């Protein structure tokens, strides 16, 4: 089965280890980082969403118009725009990019962050709303006849779009979460289901939960699985672990100097995914071949925060362990965003692609 690599489309050079030096949307840096991914073997990049961050849709349009093959994943919170409007926005982006768009739907894992933009629903209500929004957007992407909708969260009459995506039947939809409500919504609607980097056994359990939810929703297929990591690589194991501990020290220094961000609490996170990462970190620092958890513990389990540490060969083999579980989309970003994207593309992606090709060839030969 094919493997895909997802990087980050940051709009400035700031990260957990480096405060940004300028404005939140640095056009030159955004383009430089995107082209580094395009030039070094990555398939797509994610434009993330935050209540005070640059709007990902126009940022994605800016990159789509200035790249040739790089695919783009735009994060979207359904509370910020009506589904019919969102459907037209994304169809337009798919046209601008000549069919290179996918959309990542975020229900919201933190009440405070959601309330910054007027969203006061409970977490389970947010998941139900996301599921309803995805259904409407898919229909708006594909229906050439007017339709009405009367649901729990949305109601409208006689809508039909005149703006349709290039991709047929529609751009891919991705979704994440680690709670039963998330599995139910994403299992029913997602083309790609996104998980954060946990040990292999825990990841296998989550994959089974997603697949069970998809079957319970009556699907004949199941979502592709994506897992996210923070790779820390160096030419030798010793140098990689020295780099890992330097990175952790830089995270601590960054936290001491200024807040890491406004989206995520460092203690007692509300969302199940972050709680799971912290539970894994409490079990020990190192898991399986190369998984390292102190970076997650130091940031409160904030999103993609568990590391894979080692030489390019070690990190590639660790990623292949997840591929062998059924993971088809590997999400990765370093802490020094530009340099790490280049290094990972040069030294890790080719190894993984070569080994996947060998596995596929052996599977075909055995069939």
């Amino acid at each position: 089965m094919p493997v895909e690599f997802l990087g980050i489309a940051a709009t400035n050079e700031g990260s957990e280890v480096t405060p940004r030096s300028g404005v939140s949307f640095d056009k030159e840096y955004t383009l430089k980082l995107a082209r580094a991914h395009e030039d070094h073997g990555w398939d797509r990049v994610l434009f993330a969403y935050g209540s005070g961050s640059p709007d990902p849709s126009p940022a994605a349009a800016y990159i789509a118009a200035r790249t040739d093959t790089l695919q783009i994943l735009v994060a979207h919170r359904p509370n910020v725009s009506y589904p019919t409007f969102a459907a037209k926005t994304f169809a337009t982006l798919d046209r601008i990019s000549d069919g290179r768009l996918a959309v990542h739907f975020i229900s919201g894992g933190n009440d405070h962050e959601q309330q910054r933009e007027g969203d006061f629903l409970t977490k389970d209500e947010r998941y139900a709303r996301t599921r309803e929004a995805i259904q409407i957007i898919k229909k708006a992407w594909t229906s050439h006849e007017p339709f009405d909708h009367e649901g729990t969260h949305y109601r409208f009459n006689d809508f039909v779009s005149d703006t349709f995506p290039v991709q047929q039947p529609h751009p891919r939809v991705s979704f994440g979460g680690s709670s039963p409500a998330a599995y139910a919504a994403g299992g029913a609607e997602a083309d790609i289901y996104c998980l954060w980097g946990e040990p292999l056994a825990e990841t296998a359990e989550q994959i089974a939960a997603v697949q069970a939810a998809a079957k319970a929703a009556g699907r004949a297929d199941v979502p592709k699985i994506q897992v996210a990591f923070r790779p820390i690589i160096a030419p030798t194991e010793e140098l990689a672990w020295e780099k890992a501990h330097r990175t952790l020290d830089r995270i601590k220094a960054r936290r001491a100097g200024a807040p890491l961000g406004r989206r995520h609490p460092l203690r007692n996170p509300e969302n199940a995914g972050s709680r799971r990462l912290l539970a894994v970190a409490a079990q020990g620092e190192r898991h399986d071949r190369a998984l390292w958890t102190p970076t997650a513990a130091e940031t409160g389990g904030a999103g993609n925060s568990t590391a894979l540490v080692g030489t390019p060969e070690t990190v590639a083999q660790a990623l292949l362990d997840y591929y062998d579980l059924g993971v088809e989309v590997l999400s990765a970003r370093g802490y020094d965003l530009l340099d790490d994207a280049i290094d990972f593309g040069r030294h890790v992606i080719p190894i993984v692609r070569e080994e996947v090709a060998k596995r596929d060839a052996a599977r075909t030969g055995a069939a």
Side-chain angles (χ1 to χ4, degrees):
M1 60 185 182
V3 64
E4 301 175 43
F5 286 93
L6 170 68
I8 191 69
T11 58
N12 59 73
E13 83 276 36
S15 74
E16 296 93 332
V17 301
T18 306
R20 75 171 194 245
S21 61
V23 296
S24 62
F25 183 36
D26 179 334
K27 292 196 302 180
E28 287 72 23
Y29 182 86
T30 302
L31 181 57
K32 187 175 183 179
L33 182 62
R35 284 179 172 163
H37 283 86
E38 184 172 56
D39 292 342
H40 291 91
W42 297 78
D43 295 288
R44 68 173 51 81
V45 290
L46 166 66
F47 281 90
Y49 189 94
S51 60
S53 301
D55 187 338
S57 290
Y62 172 74
I63 291 304
R66 290 163 176 81
T67 55
D68 298 316
T69 60
L70 186 67
Q71 299 173 54
I72 293 167
L73 178 60
V74 173
H76 173 66
R77 290 182 184 169
N79 61 291
V80 301
S81 68
Y82 208 74
T84 52
F85 178 85
K88 294 183 295 181
T89 298
F90 300 136
T92 303
L93 276 172
D94 200 49
R95 288 281 159 187
I96 292 171
S97 66
D98 295 321
R100 289 183 279 145
L101 180 76
V103 183
H104 179 63
F105 286 84
I106 303 172
S107 299
N110 178 268
D111 288 348
H112 189 194
E113 167 67 5
Q114 292 301 120
Q115 290 166 9
R116 288 184 173 118
E117 293 188 291
D119 185 8
F120 289 86
L121 297 185
T122 66
K123 184 176 72 170
D124 284 357
E125 288 172 335
R126 294 196 297 264
Y127 279 121
R129 179 184 57 196
T130 299
R131 184 172 180 175
E132 186 177 342
I134 293 172
Q135 292 168 347
I136 293 168
I137 290 169
K138 286 180 178 178
K139 191 166 184 178
W141 278 339
T142 56
S143 177
H144 291 262
E145 298 296 329
F147 65 96
D148 303 337
H149 179 86
E150 185 166 353
T152 303
H153 299 282
Y154 303 104
R155 177 184 177 184
F156 56 86
N157 294 326
D158 200 41
F159 177 79
V160 64
S161 179
D162 191 33
T163 306
F164 295 95
V166 173
Q167 298 175 78
Q168 296 297 317
H170 54 70
R172 289 195 294 178
V173 166
S174 72
F175 186 97
S178 297
S179 68
Y183 298 145
E189 299 297 337
D191 300 300
I192 301 170
Y193 199 99
C194 308
L195 303 171
W196 291 331
E198 297 184 15
L200 292 164
E202 285 82 350
T203 301
E205 292 171 359
Q206 291 217 75
I207 292 173
V210 172
Q211 293 175 343
K215 292 177 181 178
R219 290 181 60 166
D221 63 344
V222 294
K224 289 185 175 183
I225 300 297
Q226 171 184 307
V227 180
F229 303 97
R230 306 299 291 270
I232 301 174
I233 62 172
T236 68
E237 296 292 328
E238 182 180 6
L239 290 173
W241 284 104
E242 288 177 2
K243 182 178 178 181
H245 287 287
R246 285 197 310 273
T247 299
L248 185 62
D249 289 342
R250 292 172 69 192
I251 293 172
K252 292 177 179 179
R254 174 92 165 85
R255 277 191 58 195
L260 289 176
R262 287 164 47 83
R263 278 182 277 174
H264 186 85
L266 294 178
R267 296 182 181 179
N268 302 317
E270 297 170 20
N271 61 307
S274 292
R275 292 198 300 269
R276 289 178 65 98
L277 292 187
L278 292 178
V280 169
Q283 294 168 14
E285 292 191 354
R286 297 177 67 168
H287 300 262
D288 301 325
R289 192 187 299 266
L291 190 70
W292 193 54
T293 63
T295 48
E298 188 63 28
T299 56
N304 179 10
S305 55
T306 48
L308 292 176
V309 181
T311 63
E313 292 77 11
T314 295
V315 170
Q317 291 302 323
L319 292 169
L320 287 161
D321 292 338
Y322 288 89
Y323 175 83
D324 291 338
L325 283 183
V327 176
E328 296 179 65
V329 184
L330 299 170
S331 174
R333 75 175 189 268
Y335 288 94
D336 295 301
L337 299 177
L338 180 61
D339 290 344
D340 288 346
I342 293 170
D343 286 345
F344 187 88
R346 283 176 173 167
H347 303 299
V348 178
I349 289 178
I351 297 174
V352 175
R353 291 202 191 279
E354 181 179 356
E355 290 300 319
V356 166
K358 291 178 182 178
R359 283 162 164 77
D360 288 348
R363 191 178 298 113
T364 302

